[in-house]
Amino acid sequence: RRAAVLAFPFNGGQGREGVELGGMHLVEHGILEQLKEMEWETSFEPNEDIDTFRPSSDPDIEGLKKPRFVSSVTKRVAEQVSTAAKAGDFVVTLGGDHSLAMGTVSGVFEAYPDACLIWIDAHADINTPSTTDSGNMHGCPISFVMGIAGDIPEFAWIKKCLLPERLVYIGLRDVDPAEKKILKDNGIKAFSMHHVDKYGIGKVVEMALDHVNPNRDRPIHLSFDVDALDPSVAPSTGTPVRGGLTFREGHYICEALAETGLLVAADIMEVNPALEDEQAVFQTVQVGCSLTRCCLGETLL
Ligand code: ARG
Ligand code: MN
Ligand code: MN
Ligand code: MN
């Protein structure tokens, strides 16, 4: 099997410098060699030219920050992801901030229209231009691919590709009031940390799959924001929230999805090597690599 690893050194969906370095840190930590060792034929696209997508002027649109930059970069993401997915490659996207998922989801669903999306995050990232308090587009990607963001000409390239019933969350614990309403109004299934505590991660993953993939016949796209993990496990990330997934719970999710044989794409997002100390960065980069390997089938035995 072939894996296409795409890194996007992009931070325009949020306000903190450093998240653009996340992907290259995973590569420097050896993720490409690790996948080759697991007998994946691996290609790598570093997208070092991403800054050339930055427009000279990029005023806010409906309160959204850097909207044109986010739009042009995520359009490129969508093209690369769909090309690789259509070629039959497993697509690994290394962020970068989570606004990149506007592109990864668009690309995966272009190649696999009947796919489902499993979103692992402390946050719901489903704010619309009218609900976002921060204006940071990493808090909004799902509203765009679901077609509930309203019509903004700059984002006209994004197709409404994700149905509410094809999305499930695990790990939520910091959801804005307006996002809670969106989840409720659209009947979107979400397993918060409360549910992980109550049922255990094994049952939660099973229930999540039963919801989005009842017959276990749909391709799966996993979008993993490392801030889903507890800050003690993944400290170097821009919006940490305490009370998160343990090291094993995070890995279990990836292992269980890989085990279905249906996983076609995985995003590893929001590693920020500019935050916290050297030990924290090492820990976060290392966990990013091991989650990626689990997605590609690494097992404990
Ligand atoms: N809900 C907040 C916002 O809209 C935080 C989003 C954090 N997102 C992330 N990908 N880390 O700004
Ligand atoms: Mn998050
Ligand atoms: Mn908020
Ligand atoms: Mn996120």
Side-chain angles (χ1 to χ4, degrees), residues 32-286:
L32 300 175
E33 291 76 17
Q34 293 162 19
L35 297 184
K36 281 174 197 148
E37 219 154 285
M38 292 170 62
E39 296 185 341
W40 283 87
E41 195 185 308
T42 306
S43 66
F44 177 53
E45 175 54 69
N47 289 295
E48 277 156 326
D49 62 340
I50 222 70
D51 240 51
T52 64
F53 286 67
R54 191 190 294 275
S56 49
S57 160
D58 199 1
D60 293 2
I61 297 174
E62 298 186 26
L64 299 173
K65 294 173 179 162
K66 301 180 203 157
R68 294 162 198 80
F69 191 23
V70 172
S71 178
S72 59
V73 168
T74 55
K75 186 165 186 272
R76 149 82 75 103
V77 174
E79 287 157 5
Q80 277 183 24
V81 169
S82 74
T83 301
K86 283 176 180 166
D89 292 3
F90 188 112
V91 188
V92 177
T93 304
L94 307 176
D97 74 65
H98 218 167
S99 67
L100 291 165
M102 289 171 39
T104 61
V105 175
S106 296
V108 169
F109 280 73
E110 165 82 24
Y112 301 103
D114 60 342
C116 61
L117 174 62
I118 302 186
W119 193 276
I120 313 299
D121 207 317
H123 310 93
D125 294 350
I126 197 165
N127 272 304
T128 69
S130 44
T131 68
T132 176
D133 285 336
S134 65
N136 294 328
M137 293 206 67
H138 76 158
C140 308
I142 300 196
S143 73
F144 281 84
V145 289
M146 213 174 255
I148 58 171
D151 290 322
I152 300 177
E154 283 77 1
F155 291 94
W157 68 268
I158 299 179
K159 286 186 198 141
K160 171 179 179 162
C161 57
L162 179 65
L163 295 169
E165 60 267 32
R166 294 278 82 84
L167 164 65
V168 65
Y169 291 102
I170 301 174
L172 302 187
R173 58 194 182 279
D174 183 14
V175 181
D176 299 337
E179 292 183 298
K180 289 184 182 173
K181 184 170 179 342
I182 295 171
L183 297 184
K184 196 173 273 170
D185 291 351
N186 291 280
I188 295 167
K189 193 82 168 169
F191 296 94
S192 71
M193 288 309 300
H194 175 86
H195 298 103
V196 175
D197 294 336
K198 182 171 178 176
Y199 300 110
I201 195 65
K203 185 74 188 159
V204 163
V205 171
E206 188 186 320
M207 291 189 291
L209 283 170
D210 285 345
H211 180 76
V212 289
N213 211 338
N215 304 318
R216 302 297 192 268
D217 55 356
R218 295 178 181 279
I220 300 171
H221 177 192
L222 169 64
S223 200
F224 201 121
D225 182 330
V226 297
D227 71 29
L229 299 168
D230 191 79
S232 61
V233 179
S236 295
T237 191
T239 51
V241 188
R242 64 184 178 165
L245 297 169
T246 64
F247 181 90
R248 274 305 310 158
E249 287 166 345
H251 287 77
Y252 177 84
I253 293 169
C254 300
E255 292 160 359
L257 297 183
E259 209 172 20
T260 64
L262 296 165
L263 197 57
V264 295
D267 311 336
I268 303 290
M269 301 299 199
E270 299 279 357
V271 171
N272 187 333
L275 301 176
E276 306 299 319
D277 61 17
E278 195 185 328
Q279 161 64 21
V281 173
F282 180 79
Q283 223 191 125
T284 311
V285 168
Q286 184 174 245

